[in-house]
């Protein structure tokens, strides 16, 4: 019998286990000195190793410098031959393998990475595209920061940088992490050798942008964890999403110009359906379409976030890590994530079925009604989201 955690790890292509990091390391911003020291260790290692052969048509001379590929990193140097005197302009980590700076590793989640650095913004409050993690003044008028680039809950990159006064401008030493499906796929260090210099005007513009981002709170991240016991069960509070109040939803509250159809159930009740390009809603009503009460709401476009900000196109492991899940036994076909099959609240998943993989979360709401969040997947990707009253 497997446990939920084992299934999660398999579905996420054997995620790298999070390695412990000291509180002292996690509390310190990234510095240019730390980044330079780390890339010097990569250079020392490279000098004792043979570089990989260049791919066909690959040019060793790039904008970042001369490229030297190794199985542990790609290094960009200022010389055509890598020697002890070469300066490393940039370094790229993209292959699976051992951990690197601050015990980071490919396949970590964004939250694993964030935990290795300061975070003054635990909810990632900001706007839908950005969030500031920290901003620190440094010696000589420099500053260090961490920020997130995202599309809603989907984090595309996390950048940590240290702007060090140098000449008439600043040297911008940075370490940027890139993600796909909430998994780290690449880390790029740059600015160690003084090649990435920004003017004082550019630095001031950047600082102003960061200052503005620091006070933004129009959008925040949903809590995500590999430890399902840290997460809450699906509940009534989750039925407020994307500016919509599901339980009190009325036809006139919904955006767009949907097609309307009224159906007679021939039992004294009527159903009103509203069909828009991005959503579809069903209401119970009278024969005139009035006194409408919501029955179900289907999300048909990834521009709309559902409960816990789930979106069409999300991967199974991304959604699983937003709701409670316990280490329950499974037969490999279905599993109770929390609760039991016949109690409320509950979370269940059917791994094999005619409609593909299906997750169901059920909660009780005010008035004794029960609401289900139904999530269906096609090849591990969320393809259907329905919220409905049972």
């Amino acid at each position: 019998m497997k446990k939920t955690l084992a299934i999660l790890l398999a579905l996420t292509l054997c995620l790298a286990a999070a390695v412990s990091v000291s509180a002292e390391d996690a509390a310190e911003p990234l510095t240019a000195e730390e980044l330079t020291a780390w890339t010097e260790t990569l250079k020392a290692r490279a000098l004792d190793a043979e570089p990989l052969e260049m791919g066909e048509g690959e040019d060793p001379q790039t904008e970042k410098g001369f490229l030297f590929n190794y199985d542990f990193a790609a290094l960009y140097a200022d010389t055509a031959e890598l020697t002890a005197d070469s300066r490393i302009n940039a370094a790229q980590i993209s292959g699976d393998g051992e951990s690197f700076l601050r015990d980071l590793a490919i396949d970590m989640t964004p939250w694993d990475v964030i935990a290795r650095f300061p975070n003054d913004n635990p909810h990632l409050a900001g706007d839908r595209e950005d969030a500031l993690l920290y901003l620190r003044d440094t010696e000589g008028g420099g500053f260090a920061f961490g920020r997130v680039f995202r599309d809603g809950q989907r984090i595309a990159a996390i950048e940590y940088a240290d702007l060090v006064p140098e000449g008439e401008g600043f040297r911008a030493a940075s370490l940027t992490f890139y993600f796909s499906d909430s998994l780290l796929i690449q880390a790029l260090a740059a600015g160690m050798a003084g090649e990435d210099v920004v003017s004082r005007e550019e630095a001031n513009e950047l600082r102003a942008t960061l200052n503005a981002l620091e006070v933004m709170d129009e959008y925040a991240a949903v809590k995500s964890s590999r430890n399902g016991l840290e997460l809450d069960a699906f509940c009534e509070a989750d039925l407020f999403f994307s500016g919509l109040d599901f339980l009190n939803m009325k036809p006139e509250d919904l955006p767009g110009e949907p097609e309307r159809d009224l159906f007679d159930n021939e039992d004294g009740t009527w159903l009103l359906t509203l069909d828009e390009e991005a959503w579809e809603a069903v209401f119970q009503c009278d024969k005139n379409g009035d006194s409408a009460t919501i029955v179900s709401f289907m999300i048909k476009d990834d521009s709309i976030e559902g409960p816990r900000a789930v979106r069409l196109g999300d991967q199974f492991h991304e959604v699983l890590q937003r709701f409670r899940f316990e280490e329950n036994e499974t037969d490999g076909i279905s599993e109770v994530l929390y609760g039991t099959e016949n109690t409320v609240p509950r979370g269940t998943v059917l791994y094999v079925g005619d409609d593909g993989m299906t997750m169901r979360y059920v909660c009780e709401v005010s008035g004794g009604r029960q609401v289900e969040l139904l999530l269906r997947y096609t090849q591990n990707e969320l393809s259907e989201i329905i919220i409905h009253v049972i």
Side-chain angles (χ1 to χ4, degrees):
M1 292 292 199
K2 296 181 179 178
K3 303 287 187 179
T4 301
L5 185 57
I7 292 174
L8 171 62
L9 294 178
L11 288 169
T12 56
L13 305 177
C14 300
L15 291 172
V19 184
S20 63
V21 64
S22 72
E24 181 181 356
D25 287 340
E28 293 298 323
L30 179 74
T31 66
E33 291 81 3
E34 179 185 8
L35 206 54
T36 300
W38 170 58
T39 54
E40 283 298 307
T41 65
L42 293 178
K43 182 178 73 173
R45 184 173 175 183
L47 292 173
D48 288 333
E50 287 293 326
L52 303 176
E53 290 186 7
M54 290 287 181
E56 185 177 349
E58 190 172 8
D59 188 349
Q61 189 168 7
T62 73
E63 291 183 357
K64 297 186 184 73
F66 292 93
L67 172 61
F68 298 88
N69 269 320
Y70 298 88
D71 56 3
F72 58 89
L75 303 180
Y76 297 85
D78 66 339
T79 56
E81 180 182 353
L82 190 65
T83 70
D85 295 325
S86 299
R87 295 189 307 174
I88 303 300
N89 298 331
Q92 179 179 301
I93 306 291
S94 56
D96 295 334
E98 71 267 30
S99 60
F100 53 101
L101 182 73
R102 298 200 184 191
D103 285 328
L104 293 156
I106 296 299
D107 280 345
M108 279 186 167
T109 70
W111 294 100
D112 291 332
V113 173
I114 289 170
R116 266 68 178 169
F117 300 88
N119 184 11
D120 300 334
N121 185 8
H123 300 296
L124 302 194
D127 59 23
R128 192 180 172 96
E129 290 78 35
D130 304 272
L132 185 70
L133 298 171
Y134 68 83
L135 178 59
R136 303 280 195 276
D137 291 318
T138 58
E139 293 182 4
F143 57 95
F145 66 89
R147 64 175 168 179
V148 167
F149 298 94
R150 64 189 176 189
D151 171 17
Q153 299 299 309
R154 297 172 182 171
I155 293 179
I158 302 174
E159 177 190 24
Y160 294 99
D162 183 17
L163 270 72
V164 181
E166 191 166 287
E168 296 299 317
F170 294 82
R171 176 162 60 92
S174 65
L175 180 59
T176 306
F177 301 93
Y178 297 94
F179 299 86
S180 178
D181 297 330
S182 294
L183 297 175
L184 178 62
I185 59 171
Q186 184 183 109
L188 177 64
M192 290 78 65
E195 299 298 320
D196 292 297
V197 176
V198 298
S199 68
R200 289 195 173 274
E201 182 180 0
E202 292 171 325
N204 289 338
E205 290 177 357
L206 174 58
R207 182 62 186 259
T209 298
L210 297 174
N211 287 340
L213 185 58
E214 190 171 23
V215 297
M216 285 187 181
D217 61 357
E218 60 190 60
Y219 189 91
V222 172
K223 184 176 181 179
S224 177
S225 176
R226 289 182 180 175
N227 181 0
L229 301 180
E230 295 180 346
L231 304 170
D232 295 327
F234 176 61
C235 65
E236 186 169 344
D238 294 316
L239 298 175
F240 295 83
F241 55 90
S242 292
L244 302 173
D245 178 358
F246 174 78
L247 293 175
N248 298 301
M249 190 178 288
K250 299 297 180 184
E252 58 269 22
D253 299 332
L254 294 170
E257 298 180 359
E259 294 184 6
R260 298 169 62 97
D261 286 299
L262 194 60
F263 297 94
D264 184 356
N265 285 327
E266 299 183 354
D267 61 358
T269 64
W270 293 71
L271 289 178
L272 172 66
T273 66
L274 302 180
D275 192 359
E276 246 282 357
E277 184 176 354
W279 54 266
E280 180 180 306
V282 178
F283 294 87
Q284 192 172 45
C285 60
D286 61 25
K287 64 181 181 179
N288 298 314
D290 299 325
S291 303
T293 302
I294 190 65
V295 174
S296 69
F297 186 81
M298 176 189 293
I299 296 173
K300 301 193 297 182
D301 188 275
D302 75 350
S303 62
I304 299 179
E305 294 181 335
R308 304 271 172 106
V310 298
R311 287 168 67 184
L312 296 178
D314 283 349
Q315 297 293 303
F316 174 79
H317 71 270
E318 295 178 283
V319 176
L320 180 64
Q321 293 178 70
R322 295 183 197 171
F323 297 88
R324 184 174 182 83
F325 61 91
E326 301 166 357
E327 294 187 37
N328 298 320
E329 293 186 345
T330 174
D331 57 7
I333 298 175
S334 64
E335 182 176 354
V336 176
L337 299 173
Y338 62 85
T340 69
E341 290 184 358
N342 300 308
T343 62
V344 177
R346 67 176 178 268
T348 61
V349 57
L350 178 66
Y351 294 109
V352 180
D354 293 338
D355 296 320
M357 188 162 53
T358 304
M359 303 176 84
R360 297 176 185 269
Y361 296 101
V362 180
C363 69
E364 185 171 314
V365 299
S366 303
R369 292 176 294 170
Q370 294 181 7
V371 175
E372 179 181 71
L373 172 61
L374 173 64
L375 307 170
R376 289 199 175 99
Y377 296 81
T378 301
Q379 295 182 345
N380 203 42
E381 186 175 284
L382 186 55
S383 56
E384 187 173 20
I385 303 173
I386 301 175
I387 307 99
H388 67 105
V389 178
I390 299 177

